[in-house]
Amino acid sequence: MQEKANSAKRPPSVGFVSLGCPKALVDSERILTQLKVEGYEVAPTYEGADLIVVNTCGFIDSAVQESLDAIGEAIHANGKVIVTGCLGAKNGDEGKNLITTLHPKVLAVTGPHATEEVMQAVHTHLPKPHDPFIDLVPDHGVKLTPKHYAYLKISEGCNHRCTFCIIPDMRGDLVSRPIGEVMREAESLKKSGVKELLVVSQDTSAYGVDIKYRTDFVNGRPVKTQFQQLAEELGQLGIWVRMHYVYPYPHVDRVVPLMAEGKILPYLDIPFQHSHPDVLKRMKRPASGERNIERIRAWRDACPDITLRSTFITGFPGETEAEFEHLLAFIEEAQLDRVGVFAYSPVDGAKANELPNPVPEEVKEERRARLMALQETISLVRNQAKIGKTLQVIVDETDDEGIVARSAADAPEIDGNVFIPMPENPALRPKVGDFVSVEIDDCDEHDLWGSITEH
């Protein structure tokens, strides 16, 4: 009888599955924070939850399938499932919602960045407790990343209409958060122990253009909601700040000196996607290859230590061998530090599907392999240049045998690592989140190896 009474007092619990990109991860953190604020428990297993929320990704076919599989697994294991995220906004061939068509047992479906709608669905199917435990939730909310780094989402949506992408259809046009709100979140994260902020959005360098760079207030000071102003404000926090998804607009040049001064990390994640003007035109990308090479040279002149990462697509519809050779020449000349390469994959609803002259699968893959082989030789040479140097790194993992860390050139989960043997001297053994100085003594094309210096 006592066991039943205790069970009756147990707060309702919600299980959570988060899929997709860092921007979706931030959406998950906001929903989880609201759940905790309202007194819900977060269950670690399907079986221990009263209800499951699945945050989905719908960008490419493999991500769609992963999301659909996760929904099916949750329904099978638990039975009560709410779906949110990009896939929730996607329709099938007959114009009906894809998820409810394939998984009619789901309780509710919402699109991305829909915290309020998700909570309404949770309230409908799992009423909230009477006494919210607001004091149990820290100011910075619930984080799904390790304590020492966090993603800072500055906007939603995108104003571009790249033909291979359906993100604007799922997430809408650009909507920038006021800079005062962004900075309050950044300061709260720093107070909670975060030592590295990863700035993310669909188009980081367009920040504020939708609201005409409206002035907001940061600690009582008027500041414009604009990319350069944001970089300057974040650069005053005294922690690592890493910029992702930065289109190479001219005003980005004005942020590079902040990197040279050590205010923000000398790191730019720029999704070039291709170099040939005709391919870029078919992609409807807001850039041209010639200007990008000039800009890269100027960035390196202003900040010799800058790390440049990018992504490229091989086998885009109509890509000729000559256009691909142009891309290889660009890669050779640009000497980028980090490159991700994807063979073109059709996305349901993307305009690129209507383009003529699709490239055969084997040619897409062969070009991807050729580009990656070239880039690996470049990355190896650039890493070899670090041998003998001492770098500041942040520690991500430790055990008795060694340490996994990252340098300023390495974003978590997408770039390389720095592997370090655990020092015998206990005084030199770092904790996760510590910064240490490491002398580099070996490398491959992705990672570095080194030892902690004693000074």
Side-chain angles (χ1 to χ4, degrees):
M1 188 68 104
Q2 183 62 41
E3 198 172 305
K4 280 188 178 179
N6 289 339
S7 175
K9 293 178 183 176
R10 179 179 68 82
S13 60
V14 178
F16 208 98
V17 179
S18 184
L19 304 170
C21 64
K23 295 174 284 294
L25 188 71
V26 175
D27 289 347
S28 295
E29 290 175 344
R30 288 176 179 166
I31 295 167
L32 283 166
T33 295
Q34 190 60 35
L35 287 167
K36 293 287 284 183
V37 163
E38 295 188 9
Y40 291 94
E41 285 186 349
V42 178
T45 65
Y46 290 129
E47 294 76 13
D50 298 308
L51 181 148
I52 306 292
V53 175
V54 181
N55 191 3
T56 59
C57 179
F59 184 46
I60 58 176
D61 289 350
S62 59
V64 169
Q65 191 57 54
E66 181 186 21
S67 294
L68 290 172
D69 290 347
I71 294 166
E73 182 181 343
I75 290 171
H76 177 74
N78 183 278
K80 298 181 70 175
V81 177
I82 291 170
V83 178
T84 187
C86 286
L87 190 58
K90 197 167 187 176
N91 290 332
D93 294 337
E94 298 179 0
K96 297 179 181 178
N97 184 272
L98 179 66
I99 291 171
T100 54
T101 300
L102 296 176
H103 292 294
K105 292 183 179 179
V106 296
L107 301 176
V109 178
T110 80
H113 53 91
T115 302
E116 186 175 338
E117 291 90 337
V118 171
M119 293 308 302
Q120 288 172 355
V122 172
H123 296 157
T124 299
H125 299 283
L126 188 65
K128 62 181 178 180
H130 295 298
D131 300 312
F133 298 100
I134 295 175
D135 57 317
L136 298 182
V137 181
D139 289 341
H140 60 274
V142 175
K143 288 174 67 268
L144 296 176
T145 50
K147 185 180 179 184
H148 60 288
Y149 70 81
Y151 293 102
L152 181 67
K153 185 160 65 170
I154 62 172
S155 64
E156 275 293 352
C158 182
N159 287 343
H160 301 305
R161 294 298 183 265
C162 300
T163 55
F164 57 81
C165 181
I166 57 171
I167 284 177
D169 293 334
M170 296 187 291
R171 289 183 172 260
D173 288 338
L174 179 70
V175 178
S176 300
R177 299 174 61 197
I179 194 168
E181 178 185 314
V182 172
M183 287 306 302
R184 284 191 292 276
E185 181 178 348
E187 289 164 359
S188 176
L189 287 166
K190 178 188 174 181
K191 288 176 185 174
S192 76
V194 166
K195 298 180 180 179
E196 178 182 9
L197 287 173
L198 300 106
V199 178
V200 295
S201 68
Q202 264 75 42
D203 183 357
T204 295
S205 39
Y207 177 60
V209 69
D210 57 306
I211 52 176
K212 298 181 171 57
Y213 310 119
R214 184 184 305 147
T215 297
D216 197 21
F217 290 89
V218 177
N219 296 321
R221 294 177 291 106
V223 180
K224 288 190 174 183
T225 298
Q226 192 260 354
F227 176 62
Q228 181 184 349
Q229 298 289 307
L230 177 66
E232 291 174 356
E233 293 298 322
L234 291 171
Q236 297 179 36
L237 293 177
I239 59 178
W240 277 12
V241 175
R242 190 182 299 277
M243 295 293 185
H244 286 278
Y245 312 113
V246 179
Y247 282 79
Y249 304 136
H251 67 262
V252 173
D253 300 354
R254 298 196 292 272
V255 172
V256 175
L258 297 175
M259 299 178 181
E261 296 165 14
K263 302 289 176 132
I264 63 176
L265 289 181
Y267 180 102
L268 279 177
D269 172 13
I270 303 173
F272 288 124
Q273 306 300 8
H274 212 280
S275 64
H276 196 283
D278 291 345
V279 179
L280 293 169
K281 185 177 180 181
R282 293 197 298 274
M283 290 179 168
K284 291 195 175 177
R285 297 293 285 173
S288 84
E290 292 175 86
R291 288 205 301 272
N292 287 338
I293 283 291
E294 293 169 7
R295 188 148 285 132
I296 287 168
R297 290 197 192 108
W299 292 339
R300 288 199 169 122
D301 286 344
C303 182
D305 290 334
I306 194 169
T307 294
L308 300 176
R309 125 170 292 283
S310 190
T311 52
F312 295 90
I313 296 172
T314 61
F316 189 76
E319 184 189 55
T320 64
E321 180 62 24
E323 289 169 344
F324 176 68
E325 293 283 350
H326 186 282
L327 176 56
L328 291 178
F330 174 87
I331 293 291
E332 184 72 61
E333 188 171 4
Q335 295 285 300
L336 301 173
D337 300 87
R338 315 283 192 209
V339 166
V341 185
F342 303 91
Y344 173 73
S345 174
V347 177
D348 284 346
K351 295 293 184 184
N353 300 343
E354 303 167 12
L355 292 174
N357 304 317
V359 178
E361 290 298 326
E362 62 272 18
V363 176
K364 294 181 194 175
E365 288 296 337
E366 184 266 344
R367 289 176 180 172
R368 187 191 70 81
R370 283 164 64 192
L371 199 156
M372 280 307 303
L374 172 60
Q375 179 57 41
E376 284 178 356
T377 63
I378 294 169
S379 294
L380 179 60
V381 170
R382 296 191 74 79
N383 270 354
Q384 286 172 335
K386 298 174 183 177
I387 293 176
K389 293 185 176 180
T390 298
L391 304 179
Q392 185 187 50
V393 302
I394 190 168
V395 175
D396 282 341
E397 301 174 33
T398 65
D399 59 27
D400 292 339
E401 296 183 1
I403 300 159
V404 181
R406 288 178 294 106
S407 72
D410 304 301
E413 300 185 4
I414 59 171
D415 292 327
N417 292 304
V418 182
F419 296 103
I420 310 159
M422 185 62 75
E424 294 184 10
N425 181 352
L428 293 177
R429 293 177 182 171
K431 302 185 294 296
V432 170
D434 283 351
F435 287 103
V436 293
S437 293
V438 174
E439 184 174 345
I440 304 303
D441 53 39
D442 200 3
C443 74
D444 62 17
E445 59 268 31
H446 302 295
D447 303 311
L448 303 172
W449 281 260
S451 301
I452 292 178
T453 60
E454 298 200 25
H455 51 78

